[in-house]
Amino acid sequence: MATSSSNTNKADHSKNPPLTLRSSDGKELKIFRIVAQQSSTIMNLLDLEEESNTDVIPVSEVDGSTLEKLIELMNNHTEKSFNYLGVKERKKFYNDFFANWKILDVLNFGLVANYLGVQVIFDEACQKMADMIKSKSVEWVRKVFEIKNDFTPEEEEDLKKENKWAYERGDLDDGDDAI
Amino acid sequence: MSDHLPTELIIEILLRVPVKSLIRFTTVCKLWRSLITSPFFVSSHLSNAKDQTLLLRRYDKHDKREHYTILKENENAPLGVDHSSELAIPFKSRVGYFRIVGSCNGLVCLSDDLFATTSGPTIIWNPSIRNHLVVPMPSILPKEPHLVVLGFGVAGNDAKVVRLIYYRKPEDFGFQESPEVEIFSLKERSWRRVSGVDVRLQILEFVWHHAFLNGIVHWLAYKLMDGDGSRSSILSFDICKEEFSEVMLPLELGRELATDLHISLIVGSLGVIKYSKEVGHEWGDVWAMREYGVKESWTKLYRIDMAGGVERVVAFRKNGEALVALKNFELASYDSETGFAKSLGVCGTTRSFYIDRYVESLLLFGEHSAGERRED
């Protein structure tokens, strides 16, 4: 966490003016310091910016729309009531947050959370992706993540034969709604 | 390989995927296969396991088969039994059902030595990925009368079966004090004798069973004292260090006959149930060793009144509640406050019930898969 001499009102966070983050596409978004503390990267960037005394922190790796959603989630996290949520309620909260998202958007969101060092949100994005892929077929996974199949047909056939039960069609749901 | 999927991210996602899907995803591409089968991934996936589940085994005398089911632990809710979650068991014991030596990290060790006069094979089974290994013939196979005791545990990244052979004393039908010992390790894939064993404790023939805690196997044992007496105790074997030791029981338990005691795990501690019987009255006292290795920390937790049809204690839930087998062949949860046993709607022969912590794991991936019958 960054500490600096210019941060004179440490005790009263509401008096601190919010920071301004500028996304890769020029969008400027406000975020309170106490919320920004969840991101080790923002804190590091803040450290650098303090020296040049500007208030705008460029977050050049992240587009405005994603940054906005991330800040919204980070705001939720700092609310007292959020920390009292039970396991089931937290699960429902994230299910609602990610409802109807396409998997590549969740992926992008996870990568951004990782880049900004917000571990909790990164974990939740990974969990969401795990939930989205677990009932999918091998072909679906390759298509969505653009993975080249480097097994020969014989190799693939032999491997599948060893664990036929894991490929039972009945469990698989390749609905394209997640793409 | 797509450029928007860094390996670290793939790993973080796959760590949260259930094992059945992971098995399927080993055929996505070579990278995914090597990631999923790497020892680092297998142990990380294991550490990530959050669901609290239990493995239940029961023998149904009507269809004459044993059944393995997964139960979900729900904090304070009654235990949910989902019969649709039954696990397929690809082998059958010669008679009745298998002895479950122990289970750990998703591996279940079975031994076909409960009902037939000769010992059958020992099997290490991972039900969640339908793979198993038949343990090869051990090296110590004496012609003289002897008693075999097994132990199973996973520690130090290896799963091991320990085998104790106690020879009968020809003069009085008792057993030699110290056993011969050999170990089968999953890593080595062979049996290896352990020398320098100086164990002065004996284990009850046939009814032996163990509790596995902190990487150590614990069997209820006894020591013959001069004269006619015996003192009950606990013989322990550290799976990693391959060393024997003794865990002392308090006087109240030590002076009981080993046949009246049963070792168990209760809320993360070693536990012992002391069964008592008087005319018209039967009960079981549940004890737990609050601090491992500290004899003074053995504490009596509560008493189970068995007069209402309780036959024996099977296991304990996360909250310490006892799961008991009733004389009418049902499994029930016992409320120590009210003294009432509430049936869980599961039937089986009383001696066959087995319940233990269970977790899905990828251990043994690559061994025989379902469909391959074991050789008799």
Side-chain angles (χ1 to χ4, degrees), chain B residues 193-342:
Chain B
R193 278 198 195 218
V194 177
S195 57
V197 170
D198 184 24
V199 164
R200 300 296 161 132
L201 293 170
Q202 296 179 43
I203 299 177
L204 286 172
E205 187 173 12
F206 189 71
V207 297
W208 58 265
H209 54 276
H210 72 59
F212 186 69
L213 181 69
N214 301 334
I216 303 173
V217 174
H218 302 84
W219 300 273
L220 206 53
Y222 61 94
K223 181 172 178 61
L224 291 174
M225 315 291 271
D226 299 322
D228 264 330
S230 73
R231 168 176 68 80
S232 292
S233 187
I234 293 172
L235 174 64
S236 72
F237 180 75
D238 186 316
I239 288 286
C240 220
K241 296 190 188 141
E242 298 187 0
E243 283 169 7
F244 285 95
S245 185
E246 180 175 358
V247 177
M248 301 294 296
L249 287 173
L251 182 62
E252 273 176 271
L253 296 176
R255 68 184 176 204
E256 299 295 317
L257 285 176
T259 43
D260 290 336
L261 300 175
H262 182 99
I263 197 168
S264 183
L265 286 181
I266 171 163
V267 197
S269 298
L270 209 54
V272 166
I273 301 142
K274 178 179 98 167
Y275 291 104
S276 305
K277 200 172 188 166
E278 274 170 16
V279 177
H281 195 197
E282 279 179 78
W283 67 95
D285 286 333
V286 179
W287 289 69
M289 181 170 55
R290 289 234 146 97
E291 262 185 80
Y292 186 79
V294 178
K295 184 174 165 186
E296 295 69 34
S297 73
W298 279 99
T299 314
K300 181 172 141 183
L301 297 182
Y302 57 87
R303 171 164 289 190
I304 296 176
D305 180 357
M306 295 167 64
V310 174
E311 173 74 32
R312 61 176 264 255
V313 176
V314 176
F316 296 92
R317 285 184 67 180
K318 251 181 80 179
N319 59 7
E321 182 184 75
L323 296 170
V324 299
L326 301 179
K327 291 181 163 72
N328 67 354
F329 302 110
E330 284 177 35
L331 184 67
S333 64
Y334 181 84
D335 185 335
S336 55
E337 313 243 316
T338 60
F340 285 124
K342 184 164 181 267

Side-chain angles (χ1 to χ4, degrees), chain A residues 42-90:
Chain A
I42 293 177
M43 290 291 106
N44 290 335
L45 289 171
L46 187 61
D47 236 357
L48 295 175
E49 292 308 314
E50 298 278 26
E51 291 171 17
S52 57
N53 224 12
T54 55
D55 276 324
V56 182
I57 302 168
V59 187
S60 53
E61 305 287 324
V62 190
D63 67 278
S65 162
T66 308
L67 194 55
E68 190 169 26
K69 289 203 205 87
L70 189 65
I71 292 174
E72 174 196 328
L73 207 44
M74 288 165 75
N75 280 333
N76 277 319
H77 274 238
T78 42
E79 270 161 43
K80 273 212 173 79
S81 55
F82 190 83
N83 290 314
Y84 290 120
L85 287 181
V87 173
K88 271 196 181 149
E89 285 130 7
R90 268 185 92 102

